Amino acid sequence: MENAHTNSKINITIVICFIIALIEGIDIQAIGVAASSIKEHFGLDSSQLGMLFSVGIFGLLPGAIVGGYYADRFGRKKVLIGSVILFSIFTLSIVFVESYYGLLWVRFLAGLGFGAALPNLIAMVSESVSLENKGKSVGMMYCGMPIGAILISLWVAFDSSNDWKAIFYAGGIIPLLIVPFMIRYLPESREYQEIKQVKKQQSYSKALFNENQSLKTLLLWAGCFFTAMLLYIMLSWLPSLFVELGFSKQQGSMAQVFFQIGATAGTLLFTGLIDKGNKVIIISVVYVGILIGLLLMNSAPTLILMYMAAAFTGFFIIGSNGLSYAFSSFTYVTEHRGQGVGAANAIGRVGAMVGPAMAGFILNSGGGTSGVLFSMFPCALVALVAMGLLAKKLGSDAVLAKKVV
């Protein structure tokens, strides 16, 4: 009877966290799919649009650090609920601003909420299951983000009204309606409850840079930074890159749909494999797949083949992002997981901020779509090396732990 009750709590946790991830996917992607309309409405150039993408991502950085830190102090549930309220209010606020600087401010503040939410989603889900199922469970939750992006991209692709404000009305109101259900039904992390009275919280430097963690932390940070650069260039710029190539806004939005369909499949596959397969091989396959996908997107001669290339690239790029989140969940022990995951997310957000701004600069300088795609190659190579070394290190630690036991 007790096991059934525990399993019920696990299922509730994964379902609610999946729904929040789905809403966050809708809200984060909204700025990308509405970019062309916002650009026209406010009279922005490509550089200003790139800054709008980046400032929202910049808000994710302090949000992830603060959200992860206070999750270890006060609990995952409380911080997650506060985060959802924050990003809901400021996603909704974007429809009321009347200037470019107003756009920057509300997008930054929404980013604080997005940033604080994700490490808590990862921590809650990973701590609700056994060690053998952490990667798969984080992947199931994280699939909400590409599915949310698919929904918002389909909306734009089939909506001929170009009413970009409706997107942000929905993105702000729907999560506020979910909050009462979170308060009533979302259980606090089981592992967090077990250890919160046992050990005192350490500072960031001791938790992340002690003798056993320093190398793993640095490798994880490098992997998260460059993986996020890749991901957010595509999330922010893919519809606009299609417009640059001469396709319509609706076709650009459909490209995002195909990208996210591939992303959902890739996230489920690779995070499921990472619990039981050879981590180094899986990492290698993912990042080599990204390189192939970028080549395909740069050379596909027709719209249909471009859609297929977008799906192929999404399969590996967001698969790699799901892996980085899964890795962050079992790189740190429970009492430091909020801090560790939050810090890794924050470093990733720096890459996510740099990537879209870099792409905007390349486009403004006349580099075109090819210039943006080829600029992503070194990012993929560095991420491959960092995550491969981390996978090898985690495998060595696991073998050593078994010998000690």
Side-chain angles (χ1 to χ4, degrees):
M1 194 72 179
E2 184 178 348
N3 286 337
H5 182 62
T6 300
N7 289 336
S8 175
K9 283 189 173 183
I10 291 171
N11 292 335
I12 290 170
T13 297
I14 293 175
V15 168
I16 292 179
C17 289
F18 170 85
I19 292 171
I20 299 305
L22 185 146
I23 293 169
E24 186 161 350
I26 290 173
D27 285 2
I28 289 177
Q29 188 59 50
I31 200 73
V33 296
S36 297
S37 297
I38 291 174
K39 183 179 180 181
E40 290 177 6
H41 183 84
F42 287 92
L44 309 180
D45 61 27
S46 294
S47 181
Q48 288 175 311
L49 193 60
M51 184 58 67
L52 180 60
F53 293 150
S54 292
V55 76
I57 298 165
F58 179 70
L60 301 173
L61 193 159
I65 293 174
V66 173
Y69 179 79
Y70 283 105
D72 284 344
R73 289 190 60 132
F74 303 120
R76 296 25 171 149
K77 178 178 177 177
K78 291 177 183 177
V79 178
L80 179 59
I81 290 171
S83 304
V84 172
I85 293 172
L86 183 64
F87 77 66
S88 301
I89 290 173
F90 287 104
T91 294
L92 182 61
S93 296
I94 201 169
V95 305
F96 300 109
V97 300
E98 299 179 351
S99 69
Y100 173 61
Y101 292 104
L103 281 176
L104 295 180
W105 271 111
V106 297
R107 198 61 187 168
F108 170 76
L109 293 169
L112 291 177
F114 294 137
L118 190 54
N120 284 282
L121 291 171
I122 294 169
M124 290 198 77
V125 170
S126 68
E127 290 170 4
S128 70
V129 297
S130 65
L131 179 63
E132 294 77 17
N133 293 308
K134 287 187 184 297
K136 179 173 67 176
S137 298
V138 170
M140 290 171 62
M141 175 277 297
Y142 183 70
C143 273
M145 297 192 75
I147 291 173
I150 290 171
L151 294 177
I152 194 66
S153 297
L154 284 172
W155 179 349
V156 173
F158 291 102
D159 180 16
S160 59
S161 69
N162 286 326
D163 183 10
W164 62 271
K165 291 188 176 183
I167 296 171
F168 295 97
Y169 276 118
I173 293 172
I174 292 173
L176 288 176
L177 298 177
I178 301 294
V179 167
F181 293 91
M182 296 175 67
I183 295 171
R184 175 66 179 86
Y185 296 107
L186 181 64
E188 180 56 275
S189 160
R190 174 174 50 85
E191 289 186 23
Y192 174 79
Q193 288 179 314
E194 290 173 356
I195 61 92
K196 67 178 180 178
Q197 299 297 334
V198 177
K199 296 183 179 180
K200 294 182 179 179
Q201 187 183 36
Q202 292 182 324
S203 68
Y204 258 96
S205 60
K206 290 182 180 178
L208 277 60
F209 291 100
N210 60 47
E211 183 179 351
N212 296 321
Q213 286 296 127
S214 295
L215 179 59
K216 289 185 285 187
T217 292
L218 292 174
L219 290 172
L220 178 63
W221 283 9
C224 287
F225 179 90
F226 287 102
T227 299
M229 276 190 73
L230 296 169
L231 173 61
Y232 276 84
I233 288 174
M234 298 301 288
L235 289 181
S236 298
W237 282 105
L238 184 58
S240 296
L241 291 176
F242 263 64
V243 173
E244 287 276 335
L245 290 171
F247 298 107
S248 69
K249 292 179 185 177
Q250 283 71 27
Q251 288 169 331
S253 294
M254 279 305 300
Q256 196 70 276
V257 171
F258 280 95
F259 179 84
Q260 297 291 357
I261 289 172
T264 303
T267 299
L268 284 173
L269 175 63
F270 294 121
T271 54
L273 289 174
I274 205 69
D275 286 323
K276 296 170 184 172
N278 184 305
K279 292 178 173 58
V280 176
I281 292 176
I282 294 168
I283 289 293
S284 300
V285 168
V286 167
Y287 286 97
V288 170
I290 291 173
L291 294 172
I292 295 171
L294 294 175
L295 286 173
L296 292 174
M297 287 195 67
N298 190 61
S299 59
T302 67
L303 179 61
I304 296 300
L305 290 177
M306 282 293 286
Y307 285 159
M308 293 175 65
F312 183 91
T313 307
F315 181 81
F316 290 101
I317 283 188
I318 299 198
S320 70
N321 204 59
L323 284 181
S324 69
Y325 289 145
F327 268 58
S328 69
S329 72
F330 47 70
T331 296
Y332 302 99
V333 294
T334 302
E335 58 267 31
H336 304 147
R337 186 167 290 124
Q339 297 175 74
V341 172
N345 271 264
I347 295 298
R349 300 318 184 183
V350 177
M353 178 182 62
V354 171
M358 179 185 74
F361 176 79
I362 292 170
L363 289 171
N364 242 27
S365 301
T369 298
S370 292
V372 172
L373 294 175
F374 280 116
S375 73
M376 298 168 72
F377 270 71
C379 302
L381 291 172
V382 175
L384 166 61
V385 172
M387 294 302 290
L389 290 174
L390 177 60
K392 189 173 181 180
K393 175 65 175 170
L394 290 174
S396 299
D397 288 354
V399 171
L400 181 62
K402 287 181 181 179
K403 288 182 178 179
V404 170
V405 173

